[in-house]
Amino acid sequence: RVEPDVLECHSVTGEECYLLKVRVADTANLEKLLERLRSYTLVAKSTSSIVMSTFKEEMKISMETIN
């Protein structure tokens, strides 16, 4: 299933298995998205954090950083 509100999905270490970056219009849409995600049989539980403000966000990666 494709979830258009999910922008990124990362496999992570620690207590959680995955970190999703989502963008929704409001908390009502977040609740609907979480309900859909929890309906997947492989999702046992979820926790959420809401970004209050963003100081820097960009998609560029410097090739100098990689080398």
Side-chain angles (χ1 to χ4, degrees):
R1 220 185 294 178
V2 174
E3 292 290 349
D5 295 329
V6 176
L7 304 178
E8 299 174 15
C9 178
H10 305 274
S11 176
V12 297
T13 62
E15 200 170 313
E16 285 76 27
C17 297
Y18 295 96
L19 170 74
L20 302 181
K21 179 179 179 182
V22 304
R23 180 163 285 144
V24 292
D26 52 33
T27 55
N29 282 302
L30 176 60
E31 187 174 16
K32 290 175 187 174
L33 174 61
L34 291 174
E35 287 173 8
R36 287 195 309 273
L37 293 175
R38 290 181 186 131
S39 73
Y40 293 117
T41 56
L42 296 176
V43 177
K45 68 175 190 167
S46 67
T47 57
S48 302
S49 297
I50 296 175
V51 173
M52 301 301 289
S53 59
T54 301
F55 300 104
K56 181 177 179 178
E57 181 178 49
E58 62 182 63
M59 301 299 291
K60 296 185 257 180
I61 298 175
S62 170
M63 292 307 288
E64 295 172 0
T65 306
I66 296 173
N67 291 328

